[in-house]
Amino acid sequence: MPSIAGAVGGRLFWVHRGVTWCRPRRCLLPLQLPLFSSLAAAAGGGGAPPHLPVVIVGAGPVGLVLSFLLTKFGIKCAVLDKNVEFTRHPRAHFINNRTMEIFRKLDGLAGDIENSQPPVDLWRKFVYCTSLSGSILGSVDHMKQEDFDKVISPISVAHFSQHKLVDLLLKKLEGIGFQTYLPDEIGSSTQDLVLENKILMGHECSSIQLTDDGILVGASFNNAGRMQERKIHCGLLLGADGARSTVRELAGINMKGQKDLQKLVSVHFLSRDLGKYLSRERPGMLFFIFNPDAVGVLVAHDLEHGEFVLQIPFYPPQQMFEDFSTKVCEEIIVKLVGWEPTDVQVLDIKPWAMHAEVAEKYIGCNNRIILVGDAAHRFPPAGGFGMNTGVQDAHNLAWKLCLLQNGVASTSIIQTYESERQPVAHFNTELSVENFKAAMSIPATLGLDPTVANSVHQVINSSLGSIIPRNLQKTLLEGLFSIGRAQLSDYVLNEKNPLGSSRLARLKSILDEGKSLQLQFPAEDLGFR
């Protein structure tokens, strides 16, 4: 289990000569200590852990951008990540104007993205349909001429999958001296280990202990089947370890907002046949598919290479993640496509929950622990604010740490990171929720009101959960959902049916008036200060 303990002057809790101490839960540090302290004195003793000014936890886009910027600013750092390999499961994929502007400064990263992303005509639209080969209910083009003319920004938005962005960032980091290591490549001994410019995979931040000079981090790793802990000392610990941040938990920082707005299954699959078909017949970035057999959202990460992620809502405990086997997911894909591609290859299936939360504070333990990215905020994906806000967090923090290290600014500049970035996160949370509600207005217009589905689910949970077995509850829930999806049949959704005609007219009005899910928010992306 992760743990945290204060160990200043050999005591857990103490006050000395009127010095003020930070005590959120068990975090203790005197306010006057320099953040970028060294362990020069301690290093002379045997067995002292290696020291770095900064340790970053999390090797996702935010953590990697942070490590790049800090290194460019002359701040020595290392990165820890609990995974033994970088995930290939696509997550974020939309990069907004402000993030692309930041990427222009990362040794040409923005240009690399522009040259590597799919052609814009393959992803500029959202498509609403009864199946990928069935009737198109409507579509929205999210690119305007001003985007191509670069009226509001010197660089346009991009559609580029997160795992591909990580690949590019790793190449940029290699160019400035970073290397990636697994536990067996560096051994179990930490003494005399040089950690600067290293990304340590398979190392989970499992404990933190506050010292006179900073933080002693415990990094757990698997060494030949045995779990061991490597001790690393740092002046600052930056938590960029995602929505389920261990650093945030260890620092005792809570999240505030709405939890579990929706639970989904994310299915990563390949099909060049489907990619070719959609490229030719109806290209788009997102496909919202509604038919009597299934409902889902398909994210076309790369039509040219046939790479997709299908998002399927599910309702536990009646529907469990374990119910979504590869075979079941393949069957759902066929139902949503409308025909059976011969080359569907399901690569990965993951569950995830949608939240709208912001950390109650970004900085803990007297400026020693700082949260960045999803560790500090969790948004619905509507609008693509998650990764973008995180990269912008990293940019805001990095130059301030540079000024601090160079003696240009005092430690108070650290607090401006929270005072500037937390309001942006609150605003983006509200905007993401509004955009999510706009997305839900489409199925509601077609007769599938998500609030009704949630109410049915709650009634079954509250009235039947303790009476009948889960399998019967599942049958009842899915039967009710099937009755609801019957409204999506061609018999209902056509111009000759009065009910269907009115619903299609309302849908057209929502799309034409820009009241559906939106992709670009230039005023919000560029208008904060």
Side-chain angles (χ1 to χ4, degrees), residues 247-353:
V247 173
R248 184 182 67 230
E249 178 186 346
L250 293 174
I253 299 175
N254 296 318
M255 301 291 283
K256 292 185 177 180
Q258 302 177 63
K259 294 178 67 70
D260 296 329
L261 294 174
Q262 191 174 41
K263 288 185 170 64
L264 300 105
V265 173
S266 178
V267 185
H268 179 206
F269 72 96
L270 301 177
S271 174
R272 285 186 175 269
D273 286 351
L274 181 58
K276 290 178 181 177
Y277 169 79
L278 291 175
S279 296
R280 183 178 67 251
E281 299 294 332
R282 51 180 71 174
M285 176 192 288
L286 299 183
F287 296 83
F288 299 83
I289 312 163
F290 310 97
N291 67 49
D293 295 320
V295 169
V297 179
L298 184 74
V299 184
H301 280 265
D302 191 337
L303 287 180
E304 290 183 314
H305 295 92
E307 185 170 23
F308 302 92
V309 168
L310 176 62
Q311 306 286 4
I312 309 165
F314 78 109
Y315 296 81
Q318 291 78 23
Q319 298 172 324
M320 300 296 287
F321 169 66
E322 293 75 17
D323 298 336
F324 291 86
S325 63
T326 296
K327 182 180 179 182
V328 167
C329 291
E330 288 173 345
E331 292 171 351
I332 295 174
I333 290 169
V334 171
K335 291 175 182 177
L336 295 175
V337 171
W339 51 275
E340 187 171 356
T342 59
D343 64 343
V344 170
Q345 181 185 3
V346 174
L347 301 179
D348 196 15
I349 306 169
K350 292 181 179 293
W352 65 282

Side-chain angles (χ1 to χ4, degrees), residues 1 72 85 124 133 326 457 472 528:
M1 286 290 291
K72 282 287 191 175
E85 60 184 16
R124 58 192 294 169
S133 56
T326 296
H457 183 227
L472 291 179
F528 62 83

Side-chain angles (χ1 to χ4, degrees), residues 126 128 140 142 286 288 297 381-384 432 434-442 510-511 514-521:
F126 290 176
Y128 300 83
V140 178
H142 291 282
L286 299 183
F288 299 83
V297 179
S432 297
E434 291 175 9
N435 212 25
F436 172 65
K437 291 178 180 178
M440 294 299 99
S441 70
I442 300 299
I510 290 174
L511 299 180
K515 295 180 179 179
S516 60
L517 175 67
Q518 297 300 298
L519 178 65
Q520 293 204 63
F521 295 84

